[in-house]
Amino acid sequence: MTVPMSPVSQIHHPLFNQHQIAVYVKRDDLIHPVISGNKWRKLEANIAEAKASGAKGIISFGGSYSNHIHALAYACYQQQIPVIGFIRGEPSYADNYTLSWAKHWRMKLVFVDRQTYRLRDNLEYLTQLQNKYPNHLIIPEGGSNSLALKGVAKIIMELEHQQAFDSLLLPLGSGGTLAGLINADNNQHQILAINVLKGANYLYQQVKSLLPKHYNDEDKWQIVSGYHCGGYAKFSSDDLAQIQEISAITGIPLEPVYSGKMMLALFDLIKKGYFPKGHKIMLLHTGGLQGLGGMLERGLITEDYLKVIQWPVPPVPPAL
Ligand SMILES: *Cc1c(COP(=O)(O)O)cnc(C)c1O
């Protein structure tokens, strides 16, 4: 299960010309038609580890529309590894867009209440879980563990042969992607991680804890806050309209949870004169377009939006 190289393309917008800035996109959304993006990058070494160690199965955690759960279910189905997803919420969520696909790929779903879900990184809870499921590989929420860094490093290796740039922008969730990029990039570029969560001060520590060596404060990476649009997976109709317009002009399909907020941050930073003339910016498109299926289902986006961004949501599958 090797992740293929993703292409890089330049995008155009009058604002970029006005500020004499070149913008490129590393299209990790194109690495697979179904499980696009960074979740597959992060899972690659985890799946290999599960196979090499002869694990009986994999266990992981996620919300009911989780890109990680969706990608993990597919990857395990491909590799014929039994997998259990601990999902935050009610059993009635099992028929939603994302979880219908997870079931289609034979993931076993266990629904836990919010209180229990909060224990997902608690050592005692994880020990209990490991005792209950011996020989299972437990992967944290979002797939962000030290094994994930290896797969993410390939993004930097690919970029070395693809396009020179000064700054790398990416959306930040659980921190595994950022940690992997920092570690592989070795201070060659400025890395700006756009925080899509509100008030997530713990993330700085979390990213540092994933890094195998110490990167001090002079290092060229930072977490940029102020672009969460109200909180994780929250956005206003105005935010969505802006994202849709950027998508239409640039030809890049965007969703409003990660890549859309990264774009809003990019445009705002350029307008504020953050980047000097002649600067080359690389955006990492982390995929996650499957999330649009759940947003459509909940009426958070319309069919029109999907038409504009030219990303037809794959229909819910029949049960296997
Ligand atoms: C999970 C996710 C992220 C965040 O990546 P982390 O490694 O969790 O920080 C960004 N974009 C998409 C589409 C995601 O699904």
Side-chain angles (χ1 to χ4, degrees):
M1 203 196 74
T2 317
V3 177
M5 176 156 137
S6 67
V8 169
S9 54
Q10 185 168 8
I11 57 171
H12 301 279
H13 192 279
L15 186 74
F16 307 161
N17 298 342
Q18 200 186 317
H19 290 259
Q20 296 179 37
I21 281 164
V23 182
Y24 305 86
V25 186
K26 173 79 169 152
R27 300 288 308 271
D28 262 21
D29 56 313
L30 295 177
I31 57 181
H32 191 275
V34 181
I35 51 161
S36 69
N38 64 341
K39 294 306 183 291
W40 198 16
R41 297 265 192 196
K42 293 195 279 184
L43 283 171
E44 194 180 31
N46 277 288
I47 299 282
E49 165 70 18
K51 292 196 98 171
S53 66
K56 272 168 71 183
I58 290 178
I59 289 175
S60 196
F61 310 88
S64 53
Y65 290 101
S66 162
N67 292 330
H68 166 63
I69 288 294
H70 183 261
L72 177 66
Y74 181 84
C76 288
Y77 174 63
Q78 283 288 305
Q79 299 298 308
Q80 302 178 7
I81 302 170
V83 58
I84 309 171
F86 281 75
I87 311 297
R88 178 183 55 223
E90 315 281 322
S92 63
Y93 295 171
D95 294 325
N96 81 17
Y97 182 80
T98 302
L99 296 180
S100 295
W101 277 105
K103 281 186 299 183
H104 176 76
W105 295 316
R106 310 234 168 89
M107 177 183 265
K108 187 181 166 204
L109 303 175
V110 177
F111 290 90
V112 297
D113 59 40
R114 281 165 189 279
Q115 228 168 334
T116 311
Y117 191 81
R118 235 174 264 140
L119 297 170
R120 65 194 178 280
D121 294 321
N122 178 290
L123 216 55
E124 207 176 311
Y125 174 73
L126 290 173
T127 308
Q128 277 173 23
L129 212 58
Q130 192 75 81
N131 290 337
K132 190 170 171 198
Y133 299 97
N135 300 316
H136 280 64
L137 174 68
I138 302 180
I139 301 176
E141 180 183 64
S144 289
N145 56 12
S146 57
L147 285 168
L149 271 59
K150 263 204 211 173
V152 173
K154 289 190 183 172
I155 295 171
I156 297 291
M157 292 182 221
E158 291 173 18
L159 282 171
E160 274 164 14
H161 303 286
Q162 289 179 307
Q163 175 63 49
F165 60 95
D166 303 299
S167 293
L168 177 60
L169 259 74
L170 72 150
L172 170 69
S174 60
T177 308
L178 174 58
L181 294 171
I182 293 168
N183 193 44
D185 190 59
N186 245 319
N187 290 336
Q188 295 180 81
H189 306 98
Q190 179 186 38
I191 301 180
L192 298 176
I194 311 304
N195 193 353
V196 301
L197 295 98
K198 185 159 77 176
N201 297 326
Y202 63 90
L203 270 174
Y204 190 68
Q205 270 321 315
Q206 183 153 320
V207 171
K208 279 188 160 179
S209 72
L210 283 167
L211 290 169
K213 70 172 204 230
H214 182 68
Y215 289 80
N216 64 36
D217 290 333
E218 283 131 68
D219 287 313
K220 291 161 73 180
W221 64 276
Q222 49 184 299
I223 294 177
V224 180
S225 41
Y227 297 104
H228 56 69
C229 303
Y232 180 70
K234 299 229 164 76
F235 51 89
S236 67
S237 54
D238 183 52
D239 297 328
L240 189 67
Q242 282 186 57
I243 292 167
Q244 176 176 311
E245 193 190 332
I246 294 171
S247 188
I249 295 174
T250 61
I252 304 291
L254 302 168
E255 45 69 48
V257 180
Y258 295 102
S259 54
K261 289 182 185 177
M262 170 178 68
M263 279 293 192
L264 294 181
L266 170 77
F267 276 70
D268 192 57
L269 290 171
I270 292 177
K271 279 179 197 156
K272 286 179 171 157
Y274 181 87
F275 303 104
K277 262 186 197 158
H279 208 71
K280 289 192 173 78
I281 299 169
M282 183 66 65
L283 305 173
L284 177 63
H285 194 316
T286 45
L289 296 169
Q290 74 84 25
L292 291 166
M295 289 176 222
L296 183 66
E297 187 177 78
R298 285 172 288 167
L300 299 173
I301 57 164
T302 60
E303 292 281 2
D304 255 14
Y305 179 87
L306 298 173
K307 238 179 254 160
V308 170
I309 72 158
Q310 295 183 42
W311 201 82
V313 166
V316 173
L320 278 186

